[in-house]
Amino acid sequence: MATITDIAKIAEVSISTVSRVLNYDPTLSVTEDTKRKIFEAAEQLNYTKFKKKKKSSPAVNKKSPPVNNRKIGVFQWRNDNEELDDIYYMSIRLGVEKKAAELGYDLLKIPTLEDQSIASVDGLIAIGKFKQETLQHLSRKHPKLVVIGSNFPLENYDSVNTDFTQATEVALQHLLDLGHSKIAFIGAEETANMYGYRRYKTPTTNTYIDFMSYKGLFREDYFFVEENGRLDVQTGERMARQALDQWGEHLPTAILAANDPVAIGVIHTLVQAGLRIPQDISVMGINDLSISRYVSPPLSTVRAFTEEMGEQGIDLLHKQLINPDISRRVFLSCELVKRRSTAAPRKS
């Protein structure tokens, strides 16, 4: 595992700066470029989230030969600065860049839907949770499209995503196995960018409701979701303050956050309130971003194989360009990562 010292050397900053950036210290004043260098260094150094693949045999390599003079357009939901608030999408992008380089593709950033350079690329990769209308527009602009990280019922183009239903079940089961029954949920949904007929749109939110209701453990006072809000550290801090004000002395013994940045924000607020993690409250995240192992305490979470998502996206587009076939929806599994932010519940 890469250390903070390793990250500091690559980013050419102090160890203290790296630690404070990775912990989203709000009192730290550094440039966006410095933050980006630190986050990208952390992701690249920890580029082993998914299991190492066996070396491909020559026969396999012949099926996916490198290409030259071909260009892939990359259209991102998050802009450069927004990417720093939730580096989940940065991690996917780095996977895209790595696999494209291996196969010999040049990448071209597509800044807007109307950019004329879309016509010059051989295929498109779209990263993020776009509106359905946006994806339909992109697919009309270019027939070779792969979408990574969208919850929409996609048709006529390939897509890659993590199975967040499984991820949520794994997280909740871990907390139940530790002995927790009072498990709260803190999250948010950018409703305007999501599709679905239920009130809540994300698999994570709905799975928490369904799973806890099935177990007879769902409580409205332990459920905090900000509709049309962002899944970032600031939201986690704000929602946790609201929750603490409402709970008073009736605290849950564990909190599942909708993703790692929200979990970090929750930790900030709990610590400021004088609560100990995990002695007083366990905190669980989802995604296992590179930052999650460096926060204090290191975050228990469920690993989404984000770099693999990016690589799978390039592989799907490569296959389309070499030998067009039916559209595919790929859902990657996840795995539990136990760290020091979760433990058995406190005694009454």
Side-chain angles (χ1 to χ4, degrees), residues 202-278:
T202 60
T204 301
T205 304
N206 284 317
T207 301
Y208 171 84
I209 295 171
D210 294 345
F211 186 97
M212 295 296 284
S213 297
Y214 176 75
K215 297 287 186 180
L217 300 174
F218 180 80
R219 289 176 48 166
E220 286 286 351
D221 58 329
Y222 284 167
F223 180 71
F224 287 81
V225 172
E226 183 175 271
E227 296 182 69
N228 209 27
R230 291 184 59 174
L231 287 168
D232 55 21
V233 175
Q234 292 74 28
T235 299
E237 292 172 342
R238 184 176 63 256
M239 298 293 286
R241 285 193 294 269
Q242 293 177 17
L244 287 178
D245 288 342
Q246 180 172 317
W247 293 332
E249 296 181 355
H250 304 286
L251 297 173
T253 60
I255 297 173
L256 172 62
N259 70 356
D260 288 0
V262 171
I264 292 171
V266 169
I267 288 173
H268 287 175
T269 298
L270 295 181
V271 170
Q272 289 169 4
L275 293 165
R276 300 168 302 165
I277 302 165

Coordinates of all heavy atoms in Angstrom, one line a residue, residues 202-278:
T202 N -31.4 6.2 -6.4 CA -30.2 5.4 -6.3 C -30.4 4.0 -5.7 O -31.2 3.8 -4.8 CB -29.1 6.1 -5.5 OG1 -29.6 6.3 -4.2 CG2 -28.8 7.5 -6.1
P203 N -29.7 3.0 -6.3 CA -29.8 1.7 -5.7 C -29.4 1.6 -4.2 O -29.9 0.9 -3.4 CB -28.8 0.8 -6.5 CG -28.7 1.6 -7.8 CD -28.9 3.0 -7.5
T204 N -28.4 2.5 -3.8 CA -27.9 2.5 -2.5 C -29.1 2.9 -1.5 O -29.3 2.2 -0.5 CB -26.7 3.5 -2.3 OG1 -25.7 3.0 -3.2 CG2 -26.2 3.5 -0.9
T205 N -29.7 4.0 -1.8 CA -30.8 4.5 -0.9 C -31.9 3.5 -0.9 O -32.4 3.1 0.2 CB -31.3 5.8 -1.4 OG1 -30.3 6.8 -1.5 CG2 -32.4 6.4 -0.5
N206 N -32.4 3.0 -2.0 CA -33.5 2.1 -2.0 C -33.2 0.7 -1.4 O -34.0 0.1 -0.7 CB -34.0 1.9 -3.4 CG -34.8 3.1 -3.9 OD1 -35.7 3.6 -3.2 ND2 -34.6 3.5 -5.2
T207 N -31.9 0.3 -1.5 CA -31.6 -1.0 -0.9 C -31.5 -0.9 0.6 O -31.9 -1.8 1.3 CB -30.2 -1.5 -1.4 OG1 -30.3 -1.6 -2.9 CG2 -29.8 -2.8 -0.8
Y208 N -31.0 0.3 1.1 CA -31.0 0.5 2.6 C -32.5 0.4 3.1 O -32.7 -0.3 4.1 CB -30.5 1.9 2.9 CG -30.7 2.2 4.4 CD1 -29.8 1.8 5.4 CD2 -31.8 3.0 4.8 CE1 -30.0 2.1 6.7 CE2 -32.0 3.3 6.1 CZ -31.1 2.8 7.1 OH -31.3 3.1 8.4
I209 N -33.4 1.1 2.4 CA -34.8 1.1 2.9 C -35.4 -0.4 2.8 O -35.9 -0.9 3.8 CB -35.7 2.0 2.0 CG1 -35.3 3.4 2.2 CG2 -37.2 1.8 2.3 CD1 -35.9 4.4 1.1
D210 N -35.1 -1.1 1.7 CA -35.7 -2.4 1.5 C -35.1 -3.4 2.5 O -35.8 -4.2 3.1 CB -35.5 -2.9 0.1 CG -36.3 -2.1 -0.9 OD1 -37.2 -1.3 -0.5 OD2 -36.0 -2.1 -2.1
F211 N -33.7 -3.4 2.6 CA -33.0 -4.3 3.5 C -33.4 -4.1 4.9 O -33.7 -5.1 5.6 CB -31.5 -4.1 3.3 CG -30.6 -5.1 4.0 CD1 -30.1 -6.2 3.3 CD2 -30.3 -4.9 5.3 CE1 -29.3 -7.1 3.9 CE2 -29.5 -5.9 6.0 CZ -29.0 -6.9 5.3
M212 N -33.3 -2.9 5.4 CA -33.6 -2.6 6.8 C -35.1 -2.9 7.1 O -35.4 -3.4 8.2 CB -33.2 -1.2 7.2 CG -31.7 -0.9 7.1 SD -30.8 -1.9 8.3 CE -31.1 -1.0 9.8
S213 N -36.0 -2.6 6.2 CA -37.4 -2.9 6.4 C -37.7 -4.4 6.5 O -38.4 -4.9 7.3 CB -38.3 -2.3 5.3 OG -38.2 -0.9 5.2
Y214 N -37.0 -5.2 5.6 CA -37.1 -6.6 5.6 C -36.7 -7.2 7.0 O -37.2 -8.2 7.5 CB -36.3 -7.2 4.5 CG -36.3 -8.7 4.5 CD1 -37.4 -9.4 4.0 CD2 -35.2 -9.4 4.9 CE1 -37.4 -10.8 4.0 CE2 -35.1 -10.8 4.9 CZ -36.2 -11.5 4.4 OH -36.2 -12.9 4.4
K215 N -35.6 -6.6 7.5 CA -35.1 -7.1 8.8 C -35.9 -6.5 10.0 O -35.6 -6.9 11.1 CB -33.6 -6.6 9.0 CG -32.7 -7.2 8.0 CD -32.4 -8.7 8.2 CE -31.3 -9.2 7.3 NZ -31.1 -10.6 7.5
G216 N -36.9 -5.6 9.7 CA -37.7 -5.0 10.8 C -36.9 -4.0 11.6 O -37.2 -3.7 12.7
L217 N -35.9 -3.4 10.9 CA -35.0 -2.4 11.6 C -35.1 -1.0 11.1 O -34.4 -0.1 11.6 CB -33.5 -2.9 11.5 CG -33.3 -4.3 12.1 CD1 -31.8 -4.7 11.9 CD2 -33.5 -4.3 13.6
F218 N -35.9 -0.8 10.0 CA -35.9 0.6 9.5 C -36.6 1.6 10.4 O -37.7 1.3 10.9 CB -36.7 0.6 8.1 CG -36.7 1.9 7.5 CD1 -35.7 2.4 6.8 CD2 -37.9 2.7 7.6 CE1 -35.7 3.7 6.2 CE2 -37.9 4.0 7.0 CZ -36.9 4.4 6.3
R219 N -36.0 2.7 10.6 CA -36.6 3.8 11.4 C -36.5 5.1 10.7 O -35.4 5.4 10.2 CB -35.8 3.9 12.7 CG -36.0 2.7 13.7 CD -35.2 2.8 15.0 NE -35.2 4.1 15.6 CZ -34.8 4.4 16.8 NH1 -34.3 3.4 17.6 NH2 -34.8 5.6 17.3
E220 N -37.5 5.8 10.6 CA -37.6 7.1 9.8 C -36.6 8.1 10.4 O -35.9 8.8 9.7 CB -39.0 7.7 9.8 CG -39.9 7.0 8.9 CD -39.7 7.3 7.4 OE1 -38.9 8.2 7.1 OE2 -40.4 6.7 6.6
D221 N -36.4 8.0 11.8 CA -35.5 9.0 12.4 C -34.1 8.7 12.2 O -33.2 9.5 12.5 CB -35.8 9.1 13.9 CG -35.7 7.8 14.6 OD1 -36.0 6.7 14.0 OD2 -35.3 7.8 15.8
Y222 N -33.8 7.5 11.6 CA -32.4 7.2 11.3 C -32.1 7.3 9.8 O -31.1 6.9 9.3 CB -32.1 5.7 11.7 CG -31.9 5.6 13.2 CD1 -31.8 4.3 13.8 CD2 -31.7 6.7 14.1 CE1 -31.6 4.1 15.2 CE2 -31.5 6.5 15.4 CZ -31.5 5.3 16.0 OH -31.2 5.1 17.3
F223 N -33.0 7.9 9.1 CA -32.9 7.9 7.6 C -32.8 9.4 7.2 O -33.8 10.2 7.3 CB -34.1 7.3 7.0 CG -34.1 7.3 5.4 CD1 -33.2 6.5 4.7 CD2 -35.0 8.1 4.7 CE1 -33.2 6.5 3.3 CE2 -35.0 8.1 3.4 CZ -34.1 7.3 2.7
F224 N -31.6 9.8 6.7 CA -31.4 11.2 6.2 C -30.9 11.2 4.8 O -29.7 10.8 4.5 CB -30.4 11.9 7.2 CG -30.9 12.2 8.5 CD1 -31.0 11.2 9.5 CD2 -31.4 13.5 8.8 CE1 -31.5 11.5 10.7 CE2 -31.9 13.8 10.0 CZ -32.0 12.8 11.0
V225 N -31.7 11.6 3.9 CA -31.3 11.8 2.5 C -31.7 13.2 2.0 O -32.9 13.6 2.1 CB -32.0 10.7 1.6 CG1 -31.7 11.0 0.1 CG2 -31.5 9.3 2.0
E226 N -30.7 13.9 1.5 CA -31.0 15.2 0.9 C -31.3 15.0 -0.6 O -30.4 14.6 -1.4 CB -29.7 16.1 1.1 CG -29.9 17.5 0.6 CD -28.7 18.4 0.9 OE1 -28.7 19.0 2.0 OE2 -27.8 18.4 0.0
E227 N -32.5 15.3 -1.0 CA -32.9 15.1 -2.4 C -32.3 16.3 -3.2 O -32.4 17.5 -2.7 CB -34.4 15.1 -2.5 CG -35.0 13.8 -1.8 CD -36.5 13.7 -1.9 OE1 -37.0 13.4 -3.0 OE2 -37.2 13.8 -0.9
N228 N -31.9 16.0 -4.3 CA -31.2 16.9 -5.2 C -30.0 17.6 -4.5 O -29.7 18.8 -4.7 CB -32.1 18.0 -5.7 CG -31.7 18.5 -7.1 OD1 -31.1 17.8 -7.9 ND2 -32.1 19.7 -7.4
G229 N -29.2 16.8 -3.8 CA -28.0 17.2 -3.1 C -26.8 16.4 -3.7 O -27.0 15.4 -4.4
R230 N -25.6 16.9 -3.3 CA -24.4 16.2 -3.8 C -23.8 15.3 -2.8 O -23.8 15.6 -1.6 CB -23.4 17.3 -4.3 CG -23.9 18.1 -5.5 CD -22.8 19.0 -5.9 NE -21.6 18.4 -6.3 CZ -20.5 19.0 -6.8 NH1 -20.6 20.3 -7.1 NH2 -19.4 18.3 -7.1
L231 N -23.2 14.2 -3.3 CA -22.6 13.3 -2.4 C -21.1 13.7 -2.2 O -20.2 13.1 -2.8 CB -22.6 11.9 -3.0 CG -24.0 11.2 -3.0 CD1 -24.0 9.9 -3.9 CD2 -24.4 10.8 -1.6
D232 N -20.9 14.7 -1.3 CA -19.6 15.1 -1.0 C -19.4 15.3 0.5 O -20.3 15.1 1.3 CB -19.3 16.4 -1.8 CG -20.3 17.5 -1.5 OD1 -21.0 17.5 -0.5 OD2 -20.4 18.5 -2.3
V233 N -18.2 15.7 0.8 CA -17.8 15.9 2.2 C -18.7 16.9 2.9 O -19.2 16.7 4.1 CB -16.3 16.2 2.4 CG1 -16.0 16.5 3.9 CG2 -15.4 15.1 1.8
Q234 N -18.9 18.0 2.3 CA -19.7 19.1 2.9 C -21.2 18.6 3.2 O -21.7 19.0 4.2 CB -19.8 20.3 2.0 CG -18.4 21.0 1.8 CD -17.4 20.3 0.9 OE1 -17.8 19.5 0.0 NE2 -16.2 20.5 1.2
T235 N -21.7 17.8 2.3 CA -23.1 17.3 2.5 C -23.1 16.4 3.7 O -24.0 16.4 4.5 CB -23.6 16.6 1.3 OG1 -23.7 17.5 0.2 CG2 -25.0 15.9 1.5
G236 N -22.0 15.5 3.8 CA -21.9 14.6 4.9 C -21.9 15.4 6.3 O -22.5 15.0 7.2
E237 N -21.1 16.5 6.3 CA -21.0 17.3 7.5 C -22.3 17.9 7.9 O -22.8 17.8 9.0 CB -19.9 18.4 7.3 CG -18.5 17.9 7.2 CD -17.5 18.9 6.8 OE1 -18.0 20.0 6.2 OE2 -16.3 18.7 6.9
R238 N -23.0 18.5 6.9 CA -24.2 19.2 7.1 C -25.3 18.2 7.6 O -26.1 18.5 8.5 CB -24.7 19.9 5.8 CG -25.9 20.7 6.0 CD -26.2 21.5 4.8 NE -26.5 20.7 3.6 CZ -25.6 20.5 2.6 NH1 -24.5 21.1 2.6 NH2 -26.0 19.7 1.6
M239 N -25.4 17.1 6.8 CA -26.5 16.1 7.2 C -26.2 15.5 8.6 O -27.2 15.2 9.3 CB -26.6 15.0 6.1 CG -26.9 15.6 4.7 SD -28.6 16.2 4.6 CE -29.5 14.6 4.7
A240 N -25.0 15.3 8.9 CA -24.7 14.7 10.2 C -25.0 15.6 11.3 O -25.5 15.2 12.4 CB -23.2 14.3 10.3
R241 N -24.8 16.9 11.1 CA -25.2 17.9 12.1 C -26.7 17.9 12.3 O -27.2 18.0 13.5 CB -24.8 19.3 11.7 CG -23.3 19.6 11.9 CD -22.9 21.0 11.8 NE -23.1 21.6 10.5 CZ -22.2 21.6 9.5 NH1 -21.0 21.1 9.7 NH2 -22.5 22.1 8.3
Q242 N -27.5 17.8 11.2 CA -28.9 17.8 11.3 C -29.4 16.5 12.1 O -30.3 16.5 12.9 CB -29.6 17.7 9.9 CG -29.4 19.0 9.1 CD -30.0 18.9 7.7 OE1 -30.7 18.0 7.4 NE2 -29.6 19.8 6.8
A243 N -28.7 15.4 11.8 CA -29.0 14.1 12.4 C -28.8 14.2 13.9 O -29.6 13.8 14.7 CB -28.2 13.0 11.8
L244 N -27.6 14.7 14.3 CA -27.3 14.8 15.7 C -28.2 15.7 16.5 O -28.6 15.4 17.6 CB -25.8 15.3 15.9 CG -24.7 14.4 15.5 CD1 -23.3 15.1 15.7 CD2 -24.7 13.1 16.3
D245 N -28.6 16.8 15.9 CA -29.6 17.7 16.5 C -30.9 16.9 16.7 O -31.6 17.1 17.8 CB -29.9 18.9 15.6 CG -28.7 19.9 15.6 OD1 -27.8 19.8 16.6 OD2 -28.6 20.7 14.7
Q246 N -31.3 16.1 15.8 CA -32.6 15.4 15.9 C -32.5 14.2 16.9 O -33.4 14.0 17.6 CB -33.0 14.9 14.5 CG -34.4 14.1 14.6 CD -34.9 13.8 13.2 OE1 -34.8 14.6 12.2 NE2 -35.3 12.5 13.0
W247 N -31.4 13.5 16.9 CA -31.3 12.4 17.7 C -31.1 12.7 19.2 O -31.6 11.9 20.0 CB -30.0 11.5 17.3 CG -30.2 10.9 15.9 CD1 -31.3 10.5 15.3 CD2 -29.1 10.6 15.0 NE1 -31.1 10.0 14.1 CE2 -29.7 10.0 13.9 CE3 -27.7 10.7 15.1 CZ2 -29.0 9.6 12.8 CZ3 -27.0 10.3 14.0 CH2 -27.6 9.7 12.8
G248 N -30.4 13.8 19.5 CA -30.2 14.1 20.9 C -29.4 13.0 21.6 O -28.3 12.6 21.1
E249 N -30.0 12.4 22.6 CA -29.3 11.3 23.3 C -29.6 9.9 22.7 O -29.0 8.9 23.1 CB -29.7 11.3 24.8 CG -29.3 12.5 25.5 CD -29.7 12.4 27.0 OE1 -30.3 11.5 27.4 OE2 -29.3 13.4 27.8
H250 N -30.5 9.9 21.7 CA -31.0 8.6 21.1 C -30.2 8.3 19.9 O -30.7 8.3 18.7 CB -32.5 8.6 20.8 CG -33.3 8.9 22.1 ND1 -33.5 8.0 23.1 CD2 -34.0 10.0 22.4 CE1 -34.2 8.5 24.0 NE2 -34.5 9.8 23.7
L251 N -28.9 8.1 20.0 CA -28.0 7.9 18.9 C -28.1 6.5 18.3 O -28.3 5.5 19.1 CB -26.5 8.2 19.3 CG -26.2 9.6 19.8 CD1 -24.8 9.6 20.4 CD2 -26.3 10.6 18.7
P252 N -27.9 6.3 17.0 CA -27.7 5.0 16.5 C -26.3 4.5 16.9 O -25.5 5.3 17.4 CB -27.7 5.2 15.0 CG -27.2 6.6 14.8 CD -27.7 7.4 16.0
T253 N -26.1 3.2 16.7 CA -24.7 2.7 17.0 C -23.8 2.6 15.8 O -22.6 2.4 15.9 CB -24.8 1.3 17.6 OG1 -25.5 0.4 16.7 CG2 -25.6 1.3 18.9
A254 N -24.4 2.8 14.6 CA -23.7 2.8 13.4 C -24.3 3.7 12.3 O -25.6 3.9 12.4 CB -23.5 1.4 12.8
I255 N -23.5 4.2 11.4 CA -24.0 5.1 10.3 C -23.4 4.5 9.0 O -22.2 4.4 8.9 CB -23.6 6.5 10.5 CG1 -24.2 7.1 11.7 CG2 -24.0 7.3 9.2 CD1 -23.7 8.5 12.0
L256 N -24.3 4.2 8.1 CA -23.9 3.9 6.7 C -24.0 5.2 5.9 O -25.1 5.7 5.8 CB -24.7 2.8 6.1 CG -24.5 2.5 4.6 CD1 -23.0 2.1 4.4 CD2 -25.5 1.5 4.1
A257 N -22.9 5.6 5.3 CA -22.9 6.8 4.4 C -23.0 6.3 3.0 O -22.6 5.2 2.6 CB -21.7 7.6 4.6
A258 N -23.7 7.1 2.1 CA -23.9 6.7 0.8 C -22.7 6.5 0.0 O -22.6 5.8 -1.0 CB -24.9 7.7 0.1
N259 N -21.6 7.2 0.3 CA -20.3 7.0 -0.3 C -19.2 7.5 0.6 O -19.4 8.0 1.7 CB -20.2 7.7 -1.7 CG -20.1 9.2 -1.6 OD1 -20.2 9.8 -0.5 ND2 -20.0 9.8 -2.7
D260 N -17.9 7.3 0.2 CA -16.8 7.6 1.1 C -16.7 9.1 1.5 O -16.4 9.4 2.6 CB -15.5 7.1 0.5 CG -15.4 5.6 0.6 OD1 -16.3 4.9 1.1 OD2 -14.4 5.0 0.1
P261 N -16.8 10.0 0.5 CA -16.8 11.4 0.9 C -17.8 11.8 1.9 O -17.5 12.6 2.8 CB -17.0 12.2 -0.5 CG -16.5 11.2 -1.5 CD -16.8 9.9 -1.0
V262 N -19.0 11.3 1.8 CA -20.1 11.6 2.8 C -19.7 11.0 4.1 O -19.8 11.7 5.2 CB -21.4 11.1 2.3 CG1 -22.5 11.2 3.5 CG2 -22.0 11.8 1.1
A263 N -19.1 9.8 4.1 CA -18.6 9.2 5.3 C -17.5 10.1 6.0 O -17.5 10.2 7.2 CB -18.1 7.8 5.1
I264 N -16.6 10.6 5.2 CA -15.6 11.5 5.8 C -16.2 12.7 6.4 O -15.8 13.2 7.5 CB -14.6 11.9 4.7 CG1 -13.8 10.6 4.2 CG2 -13.6 13.0 5.2 CD1 -12.9 10.9 3.0
G265 N -17.2 13.3 5.8 CA -17.9 14.4 6.3 C -18.6 14.1 7.6 O -18.6 14.8 8.6
V266 N -19.2 12.9 7.7 CA -19.9 12.4 8.9 C -18.9 12.3 10.0 O -19.1 12.7 11.2 CB -20.6 11.0 8.6 CG1 -21.0 10.4 9.9 CG2 -21.8 11.2 7.7
I267 N -17.7 11.7 9.7 CA -16.7 11.6 10.7 C -16.2 12.9 11.3 O -16.1 13.1 12.5 CB -15.5 10.8 10.1 CG1 -15.8 9.3 9.9 CG2 -14.2 10.9 11.0 CD1 -14.8 8.5 9.2
H268 N -16.1 13.9 10.4 CA -15.7 15.3 10.8 C -16.7 15.8 11.9 O -16.3 16.3 12.9 CB -15.7 16.2 9.6 CG -14.5 16.0 8.7 ND1 -14.4 16.8 7.5 CD2 -13.5 15.2 8.8 CE1 -13.3 16.4 6.9 NE2 -12.7 15.5 7.6
T269 N -18.0 15.7 11.6 CA -19.0 16.2 12.5 C -19.1 15.4 13.8 O -19.2 16.0 14.9 CB -20.4 16.2 11.8 OG1 -20.3 17.0 10.6 CG2 -21.5 16.7 12.7
L270 N -19.0 14.1 13.7 CA -19.0 13.3 14.9 C -17.9 13.6 15.9 O -18.0 13.8 17.1 CB -19.0 11.8 14.6 CG -20.2 11.3 13.8 CD1 -20.1 9.8 13.6 CD2 -21.5 11.5 14.5
V271 N -16.7 13.8 15.3 CA -15.5 14.1 16.1 C -15.6 15.5 16.7 O -15.3 15.7 17.9 CB -14.2 14.0 15.2 CG1 -13.0 14.5 16.0 CG2 -13.9 12.5 14.8
Q272 N -16.1 16.4 16.0 CA -16.3 17.8 16.5 C -17.3 17.7 17.6 O -17.3 18.6 18.6 CB -16.8 18.7 15.4 CG -15.7 19.0 14.4 CD -16.3 19.8 13.1 OE1 -17.5 20.1 13.1 NE2 -15.4 20.0 12.2
A273 N -18.3 16.8 17.6 CA -19.3 16.7 18.7 C -18.8 15.9 19.9 O -19.5 15.7 20.8 CB -20.5 16.0 18.1
G274 N -17.5 15.5 19.8 CA -16.9 14.8 20.9 C -17.2 13.3 21.0 O -17.0 12.6 22.0
L275 N -17.7 12.7 19.9 CA -18.0 11.3 19.8 C -16.8 10.6 19.2 O -16.0 11.0 18.4 CB -19.2 11.1 18.9 CG -20.5 11.6 19.4 CD1 -21.6 11.6 18.3 CD2 -21.0 10.7 20.6
R276 N -16.6 9.4 19.8 CA -15.4 8.5 19.4 C -15.9 7.5 18.3 O -17.0 6.9 18.4 CB -14.9 7.8 20.6 CG -14.3 8.7 21.7 CD -14.1 7.9 22.9 NE -15.3 7.2 23.4 CZ -15.3 6.2 24.3 NH1 -14.2 5.8 24.8 NH2 -16.5 5.6 24.6
I277 N -15.0 7.3 17.3 CA -15.3 6.4 16.2 C -14.2 5.3 16.3 O -13.0 5.6 16.2 CB -15.3 7.1 14.9 CG1 -16.3 8.2 14.8 CG2 -15.6 6.1 13.7 CD1 -16.1 9.2 13.7
P278 N -14.6 4.0 16.4 CA -15.9 3.4 16.4 C -16.5 3.2 17.8 O -17.6 2.6 17.9 CB -15.7 2.1 15.7 CG -14.3 1.7 16.2 CD -13.5 3.0 16.4

